[in-house]
Amino acid sequence: MEVSGFKKWMCILFIVVTLVVGGCRSTEEEIIYEGKSEHWKIQYISALTERGRESKVTIEFIGSSEPSQTFYYDVGRFSGSAPYNGDQVVIGPGICEHCEVLVQEEEKVGHIKWENTSEEIKLTLR
């Protein structure tokens, strides 16, 4: 009688652990980080698709006077330069074919440089 009771509790424990561990892995859901500074707003999105884990970054200038030239960015796996055209700049998608799981961090940090100015922007998990 106690053996079957033990098996019952082990089964319940297995189900609970499976649900908790499954909820912490980022295999199915979209992960979004967002942050803004005085001049810039950044959104970093990563989602699992049929092609693998796809990530992209959207950068938008929200300051009072628009930058007149190319800006430089370093956000997550993305870094480079882009001309500012008065609208949102979308970088990506970048695809990792064998990256099913993305480790969620509390925050990421983005860096933007333009016209002899630079800002560090903390991106928090939404």
Side-chain angles (χ1 to χ4, degrees):
M1 186 77 165
E2 286 190 38
V3 172
S4 64
F6 177 75
K7 287 182 180 179
K8 177 181 175 182
W9 281 108
M10 289 304 292
C11 183
I12 290 170
L13 180 63
F14 176 77
I15 291 170
V16 169
V17 169
T18 302
L19 290 173
V20 169
V21 171
C24 295
R25 293 181 60 203
S26 300
T27 56
E28 310 251 348
E29 63 190 76
E30 191 173 71
I31 299 170
I32 301 173
Y33 292 92
E34 292 180 325
K36 65 181 176 177
S37 65
E38 183 180 342
H39 297 98
W40 298 92
K41 180 179 175 183
I42 300 175
Q43 184 179 60
Y44 179 96
I45 300 173
S46 183
L48 188 62
T49 68
E50 307 84 44
R51 300 186 310 180
R53 178 144 306 266
E54 287 190 27
S55 300
K56 73 176 182 176
V57 173
T58 303
I59 300 174
E60 180 180 0
F61 186 79
I62 58 172
S64 57
S65 60
E66 293 186 5
S68 60
Q69 55 182 277
T70 300
F71 68 93
Y72 301 89
Y73 58 87
D74 184 4
V75 182
R77 300 182 311 137
F78 300 95
S79 63
S81 62
Y84 184 73
N85 59 7
D87 201 4
Q88 290 183 341
V89 175
V90 178
I91 299 137
I95 299 171
C96 181
E97 294 178 6
H98 303 289
C99 301
E100 291 183 4
V101 177
L102 177 68
V103 176
Q104 290 186 13
E105 301 167 292
E106 288 287 320
E107 66 181 33
K108 291 185 176 291
V109 178
H111 298 274
I112 305 284
K113 295 180 184 178
W114 81 104
E115 299 177 5
N116 298 322
T117 306
S118 66
E119 290 187 3
E120 180 178 281
I121 302 164
K122 290 184 182 180
L123 308 173
T124 56
L125 191 59
R126 186 175 89 178

